[in-house]
Amino acid sequence: MSPVLAALGKIFQDESILTEAADLIHYGKDRTDQYEPAPLAIVFPRCVEEVQQVVRLANQIGFRIVPSGGRTGLSGGACATRGEVVVSMERMNRIVDFDPLDRLVRCEAGVLTATLQSFAESKRLFFPIDLASAGSSQIGGNVATNAGGNRAVCYGMLRQWVRGLTVVSGAGEILYLGKGLKKNNTGYDLMQLFIGSEGTLGIICDATLELVSPPNIQVALLGLKAFDQVLELFQYCQEHLRILSFEYCSAAAIEQAQKEISSHFPLEAAAHYVLLEHDGLRRTLEDVLQQWYTRQPDTCAVLASSRRQAIDLKRWRECISTAIASAVPLKCDVAVRPSVLSAFFEDLEKLAEDFADWQLVLFGHIGDGNLHVNWLPGKESGHQQVVSHQRQLLQDRVYELVIKHGGAIAAEHGVGLLKKTFLTSSTDGSIVSLARQVADLLDPNGVLNPGKVYS
Ligand SMILES: Cc1cc2nc3c(=O)[nH]c(=O)nc-3n(C[C@H](O)[C@H](O)[C@H](O)COP(=O)(O)OP(=O)(O)OC[C@H]3O[C@@H](n4cnc5c(N)ncnc54)[C@H](O)[C@@H]3O)c2cc1C
């Protein structure tokens, strides 16, 4: 038995360590599905102290750790490819505390996002973050990636709702950060450093999150002729509605979604589609869209009149990722300011002309300026080697456009392994150096998530 496994055996009972080949594959990868999983073992701590013990052991005898949540990540952050020990948080899955006056819930890292959503509902409250992966992603993973999702246009990203964290740093120290306070200007806000750090600075053991009053959600799906109309509609809705989400799907994206959905698409064909949620009365949404229609009579629209219909309409947007997965698309999750989207979109269309074998499938959280730019290789793309070469070229060209338009090459899915090279080559050297110094302070022996983000 390897010395690392022998030492882990002193912390964890047999049922909390897995080393079978099938388990190593299962827990060694995320949804990117493009990195060969090769961890040494998977361990399942049940409390903060066990997390601390495994991190301290890693520092003492020199092995590397991959913190692991629901492995729904899309940037390879939870992939273990080089004999690391995967620390899975799935058995730390209790909702520990709830206070209705503070509207705060403290939950362990392994609580599923959907479980927290249901818990909030049972208390007549609402967890502001919603992702299509909510059934599998975990709160720890959501915090570690600073998840965005459909409603960031209204509620912001997850960091806005985190009021406290318990973290084991890479040095093996337990840190209690945040105190559950909304207002706390006592020195530097170190808690924020861990949010979005993708498991490179510390392992999040629990999070205290703020819940809000439940919105009165009304859903509409609209078809529009021109991309600029999508942006005009966004501005118009911002002025007249309380927008909870404003999601975009290109015609190509809806065509792909149709592979997942057996019923007919409920609108006439259009070039662009918007799925929006309004918090308020259905009547208000109807009136506002009616007025919009007098300005843009070529718009087509359908409004949900029941919760069931709302779910059905939203499915057209939510299933796109799954619908295109088998084509192994090049996925670029990027953001620019909404005012720059039109110019960025034009450049993407020109780029699509240069890569005519690839199909551009665009969708995303357009209200935040966040587009998921997906490229599907065509059947004519040729030999595997040519496809990978083109994939690299295409990716570089997309990121160059993003930089040109002052945007972010990682909008909400993080950097992980996928964007690491581009991150370090496109970021000011002094910022990269400062980020590495921060990581060295919190994880002096580099035991956490090696090879990811800045490391
Ligand atoms: C269909 C689909 C839709 C999606 N939609 C969205 C979306 O709308 N918005 C969005 O933001 N993302 C989206 N994602 C991406 C993904 O679901 C999020 O990034 C999610 O927050 C990851 O959570 P997870 O528990 O699966 O984390 P994992 O994939 O397990 O891990 C992600 C990163 O966090 C680290 N990590 C995990 N747990 C911990 C912990 N306890 N402590 C420290 N580090 C940890 C890992 O090392 C890794 O670097 C989507 C993914 C899919 C498959």
Side-chain angles (χ1 to χ4, degrees), residues 68-128:
S68 178
R71 299 178 318 286
T72 65
L74 294 169
S75 66
C79 293
T81 59
R82 296 188 292 174
E84 304 93 334
V85 172
V86 172
V87 175
S88 167
M89 301 305 282
E90 75 181 27
R91 295 190 194 164
M92 287 180 66
N93 58 6
R94 289 173 314 136
I95 293 184
V96 183
D97 204 6
F98 167 70
D99 189 297
L101 179 63
D102 296 337
R103 291 185 156 187
L104 291 180
V105 58
R106 182 157 80 91
C107 47
E108 290 183 324
V111 169
L112 294 179
T113 316
T115 305
L116 180 58
Q117 289 171 335
S118 308
F119 176 83
E121 208 176 318
S122 74
K123 302 292 176 193
R124 299 195 188 175
L125 288 170
F126 187 72
F127 179 50

Side-chain angles (χ1 to χ4, degrees), residues 43-64:
V43 296
F44 299 89
R46 289 188 183 271
C47 60
V48 183
E49 290 71 24
E50 282 187 0
V51 176
Q52 183 182 41
Q53 283 176 51
V54 68
V55 174
R56 283 192 167 163
L57 187 67
N59 279 282
Q60 278 157 20
I61 64 172
F63 60 86
R64 308 289 176 86

Side-chain angles (χ1 to χ4, degrees), residues 67 69-73 77 133 138 142 144-145 148-149 198-199 204 365 412 449:
R71 299 178 318 286
T72 65
S133 53
Q138 299 177 3
N142 295 161
T145 55
E198 299 182 52
I204 290 144
H365 316 294
E412 60 172 9
N449 238 351

Side-chain angles (χ1 to χ4, degrees), residues 30-31 66-79 87 89 109-110 113 130-134 136-150 157 197-200 202-205 317-318 321-322 365 370 372 412-414 416 449 452-453:
D30 68 1
R31 297 287 179 95
V66 174
S68 178
R71 299 178 318 286
T72 65
L74 294 169
S75 66
C79 293
V87 175
M89 301 305 282
T113 316
D130 187 32
L131 327 169
S133 53
S136 311
S137 74
Q138 299 177 3
I139 292 304
N142 295 161
V143 174
T145 55
N146 185 27
N150 305 338
M157 297 179 82
S197 66
E198 299 182 52
T200 60
I203 301 187
I204 290 144
C205 295
R317 161 67 185 88
E318 282 167 0
S321 269
T322 318
H365 316 294
N370 178 190
H372 298 321
E412 60 172 9
H413 297 160
N449 238 351
K452 318 270 171 69
V453 195

